[in-house]
Amino acid sequence: MALPASQSDPSSTLQLSQKAPLLLSTATPASHFFPLTLLEKPETPATWTDYERLFQACLRAGDDKSAHLCLERLTMRFGASDSRVMGLRGMYQEAIATSTEDLERILRSYEKILRADPMNVPILKRRIAIKKSLARPQEAISALVEFLESNATDAEAWCEVADLYHSQGMNAQAIFSMEEALLIAPNAWNLHARMGELEYSSVAAGTESAQATQKLLADAVRRFSRSIELCDGYLRGYYGLKIASHRLLENLDTSTSSTLSDIPPRNVISQLHDHASKKLEHIIDTRSTQIVHSDSARAELIAAQELLDRSC
Amino acid sequence: MAVAGMEQTINRDPALFYWILFPITIVMILTGILRHYASILMSTPPKPPSTPSESRERLALLRGIHLRNHASSTLSPSSFESRRTHLVTAYKSGTFLKDGPESRGKAAPNPMTDPAAMEGMMGMMKGNMAMMIPQTLIMGWINAFFAGYVILKLPFPLTIRFKSMLQSGVMTRDLDVRWVSSLSWYFLCLFGLQPVFAFILGNDNAANQMSQQMAQMNPAANANPFGPGQDPDKMFLAEAENLEVMEHYSILDGVEERLLRSQGVVLE
């Protein structure tokens, strides 16, 4: 079975999970004894990542029975003491937990595992996730910081902590964490755009001085430009570029204090703004005629259309 | 010397063909496959760090390298400067060391007594042994049973230089180079069967990485940047020096104009 990689899109997750009973009804691997195993198709590393993906899709779609079956097979292949399988089992238990007490109990079991093996990365991450879902962002942040202390090259964790900081309104820390994530994956255009969003929203909070505001907006414009430079036709990048440059132009108009030296010249910003609007229109025109679309892509298109309508 | 234009004929028993040429080839292929699986069985994956401080020590160096390589494409000058200062002072004071700053200057553990380093060397030795022992055995077997047999005639002429390659173990000066001895056939198989193994076993790593794949989320984190016997402190100091001399430029400078130009907008 070859499964699509996209995980963030609800409709494709649902489609995938609906196929689960069919996929799982085929003979289990490693079900025969030695001479027969030679006749079977050899397992590839992709087989087991597919199982993992199927497991997650089933959990998201609420098909706990199929998810349990996936988990059973993974456990059969790699053993219950494998750290990754432990992480998946934890994910399953969290998903079927019905009350806060259940989650607390799972959290305690994680703590027990971690006392025995302090470097069990999947369980460390599950512990953070459970704290997040128990609505204790402060604890999640401190656990993440502790985790990052010893795993400083985990871009995923840096992004997570950036999101948490952002949700707590600590924008400077969020930007710092995002920069760390970018250092690990310097060409990830979505991270560049996310960085621009963080900078833009820290301006929207409106606590900065006029000069700092200008600098942050200019940085945001640069980040969005970079993300477009890395990925042509990146709708999110153009969207951000348009609103950030618009805001910066307004800010340049109203501010009485002298402008900073490293702000790009006014005409460049206004050209960027016009260019972004034009590109957005173009993208909406071409993409809305195509039929195949996931929900999230459609939502992005609608949002962009709305932005254009508002500014015209 | 073989006289040009005159065909040498040796009457060979066809049984030579069935009882020497085929057995040698088949045995070589089978041992190749056996060796492949033996090395998979014996290989030990790199040990993941067992404590948080050990993991930090390993990854601290990677952090410096990331900063050095990627800073220009991600960071603004001020945030680069603060990171550089932080990392350089931490490297120099030994904050990242596994046993804390106090353990600086202690001699690196002797790789012969350090069990972790010993394991790495054992791994290398196991690989070499898996290569050497079957070869020695098979060569002994061929030497004992088939020494001096001429088993094959190549269908094309060759120059005299190939004589030592094709007729090892046959001490005949006048024999045409086209005749191949059993020992030479062994050597030809030894060096020439790689594509056959690639065909049978697939790309070598396919089976090899299976067990490691589930080991951790990102396999790269498993690898230890410090080889056996290397002093992390020295490498940290070297990295600090690299960072200190590094010149920073930001790719974000002037990205607006660059973007406009690349998209075909004429600047006013």
Side-chain angles (χ1 to χ4, degrees):
Chain A
M1 50 184 172
L3 306 181
S6 118
Q7 277 288 300
S8 54
D9 185 39
S11 63
S12 67
T13 306
L14 186 63
Q15 275 173 10
L16 177 56
S17 70
Q18 278 163 352
K19 276 187 271 175
L22 188 70
L23 290 171
L24 289 171
S25 64
T26 53
T28 50
S31 57
H32 300 300
F33 294 107
F34 167 66
L36 286 174
T37 52
L38 291 176
L39 303 175
E40 286 175 354
K41 246 190 345 192
E43 56 171 15
T44 57
T47 317
W48 298 105
T49 32
D50 280 350
Y51 266 112
E52 210 181 314
R53 233 179 261 152
L54 190 65
F55 168 74
Q56 285 165 356
C58 290
L59 278 189
R60 282 187 72 189
D63 186 358
D64 291 341
K65 230 167 72 186
S66 301
H68 190 252
L69 219 59
C70 288
L71 184 64
E72 286 288 289
R73 292 201 186 165
L74 282 164
T75 316
M76 219 157 78
R77 172 65 179 80
F78 295 98
S81 59
D82 185 278
S83 63
R84 200 153 159 183
V85 171
M86 277 162 110
L88 292 178
R89 181 166 296 276
M91 196 189 279
Y92 176 74
Q93 281 168 346
E94 282 171 49
I96 59 169
T98 47
S99 61
T100 326
E101 286 81 58
D102 282 350
L103 285 178
E104 294 276 5
R105 198 166 37 75
I106 298 167
L107 185 61
R108 275 196 298 279
S109 76
Y110 287 164
E111 305 280 359
K112 210 171 114 198
I113 295 170
L114 288 175
R115 264 198 297 281
D117 175 17
M119 283 309 291
N120 192 334
V121 176
I123 291 291
L124 277 169
K125 286 189 174 173
R126 285 318 313 165
R127 190 173 63 126
I128 293 159
I130 213 172
K131 282 183 174 164
K132 200 178 156 194
S133 58
L134 279 170
R136 297 180 194 158
Q138 311 289 353
E139 272 182 40
I141 287 176
S142 54
L144 257 175
V145 168
E146 195 186 312
F147 173 77
L148 284 166
E149 179 78 8
S150 52
N151 286 283
T153 53
D154 194 329
E156 196 185 36
W158 281 114
C159 290
E160 192 62 41
V161 80
D163 276 350
L164 279 169
Y165 273 132
H166 179 60
S167 71
Q168 297 301 300
M170 299 155 90
N171 281 309
Q173 283 86 340
I175 290 172
F176 176 89
S177 313
M178 213 47 178
E179 279 175 347
E180 284 290 333
L182 267 173
L183 271 180
I184 297 156
N187 292 332
W189 60 85
N190 57 342
L191 292 190
H192 274 287
R194 179 86 190 117
M195 185 84 185
E197 284 163 26
L198 285 176
E199 279 162 347
Y200 180 79
S201 59
S202 70
V203 169
T207 50
E208 318 283 339
S209 68
Q211 294 220 328
T213 306
Q214 276 180 11
K215 187 166 170 359
L216 276 170
L217 280 173
D219 278 347
V221 168
R222 289 198 178 112
R223 292 286 174 186
F224 286 124
S225 307
R226 177 70 185 152
S227 77
I228 297 166
E229 198 176 37
L230 287 168
C231 174
D232 263 347
Y234 185 45
L235 188 122
R236 227 181 156 87
Y238 281 114
Y239 189 99
L241 184 60
K242 184 171 156 63
I243 53 173
S245 56
H246 186 70
R247 184 86 185 256
L248 183 56
L249 281 174
E250 273 178 0
N251 198 280
L252 285 178
D253 287 338
T254 55
S255 76
T256 47
S257 57
S258 60
T259 51
L260 289 166
S261 56
D262 64 334
I263 303 285
R266 220 197 117 83
N267 62 333
V268 173
I269 302 171
S270 69
Q271 263 187 323
L272 269 179
H273 179 252
D274 297 344
H275 178 65
S277 317
K278 220 182 303 161
K279 267 286 183 184
L280 275 179
E281 265 172 49
H282 177 70
I283 290 173
I284 292 169
D285 280 350
T286 50
R287 291 201 190 160
S288 52
T289 52
Q290 294 163 3
I291 311 154
V292 193
H293 262 309
S294 58
D295 288 340
S296 55
R298 216 174 295 132
E300 275 187 351
L301 280 181
I302 293 169
Q305 182 65 55
E306 199 182 321
L307 177 74
L308 284 177
D309 291 345
R310 224 185 318 148
S311 64
C312 287
Chain B
M1 279 293 294
V3 182
M6 228 172 78
E7 192 87 349
Q8 275 184 349
T9 45
I10 300 177
N11 285 326
R12 280 168 300 150
D13 189 343
L16 279 179
F17 204 70
Y18 303 127
W19 291 101
I20 301 181
L21 189 73
F22 278 134
I24 290 180
T25 317
I26 289 168
V27 164
M28 289 299 294
I29 291 174
L30 288 181
T31 41
I33 293 171
L34 197 72
R35 193 166 57 217
H36 172 79
Y37 285 113
S39 59
I40 289 177
L41 267 183
M42 287 196 296
S43 73
T44 42
K47 245 176 56 189
S50 54
T51 59
S53 57
E54 197 180 338
S55 160
R56 189 176 66 163
E57 183 189 72
R58 289 183 185 185
L59 295 176
L61 192 68
L62 276 182
R63 229 177 142 189
I65 295 170
H66 278 156
L67 181 64
R68 201 149 42 85
N69 290 340
H70 301 155
S72 56
S73 55
T74 46
L75 295 183
S76 64
S78 60
S79 50
F80 168 72
E81 213 41 67
S82 63
R83 277 185 173 74
R84 164 152 79 180
T85 331
H86 166 69
L87 276 183
V88 167
T89 39
Y91 281 149
K92 285 193 169 167
S93 61
T95 319
F96 291 137
L97 288 177
K98 184 168 48 180
D99 307 319
E102 311 83 54
S103 69
R104 295 186 67 192
K106 270 186 210 154
N110 184 356
M112 280 304 164
T113 52
D114 184 15
M118 200 64 195
E119 214 160 86
M121 282 197 277
M122 276 301 275
M124 259 186 283
M125 204 147 90
K126 272 191 262 177
N128 282 342
M129 281 298 158
M131 200 69 189
M132 258 163 59
I133 291 175
Q135 272 175 29
T136 322
L137 287 179
I138 295 173
M139 203 167 146
W141 168 64
I142 289 172
N143 248 335
F145 286 91
F146 314 124
Y149 283 94
V150 169
I151 54 170
L152 176 79
K153 187 188 185 192
L154 295 176
F156 44 84
L158 285 168
T159 54
I160 194 77
R161 289 214 162 237
F162 284 94
K163 202 171 170 71
S164 59
M165 185 176 125
L166 295 179
Q167 291 177 1
S168 51
V170 184
M171 310 289 179
T172 330
R173 217 159 52 87
D174 284 346
L175 196 65
D176 191 356
V177 191
R178 291 161 71 178
W179 297 100
V180 179
S181 74
S182 57
L183 197 59
S184 295
W185 181 247
Y186 160 73
F187 282 120
L188 288 181
C189 284
L190 185 66
F191 298 117
L193 280 180
Q194 278 316 312
V196 178
F197 292 141
F199 174 70
I200 298 173
L201 302 168
N203 275 338
D204 261 15
N205 23 19
N208 214 345
Q209 286 173 351
M210 175 67 75
S211 52
Q212 288 173 37
Q213 184 219 343
M214 282 310 262
Q216 209 171 25
M217 291 298 192
N218 52 345
N222 246 342
N224 192 349
F226 307 112
Q230 261 174 334
D231 186 3
D233 189 34
K234 295 230 171 66
M235 292 184 75
F236 283 151
L237 290 179
E239 187 58 39
E241 207 162 292
N242 285 341
L243 279 175
E244 273 176 336
V245 298
M246 179 187 159
E247 205 170 318
H248 180 67
Y249 69 93
S250 177
I251 212 167
L252 294 172
D253 288 342
V255 67
E256 312 89 4
E257 283 97 345
R258 211 166 56 227
L259 177 71
L260 284 176
R261 222 172 295 129
S262 73
Q263 306 246 348
V265 181
V266 184
L267 281 174
E268 284 159 14

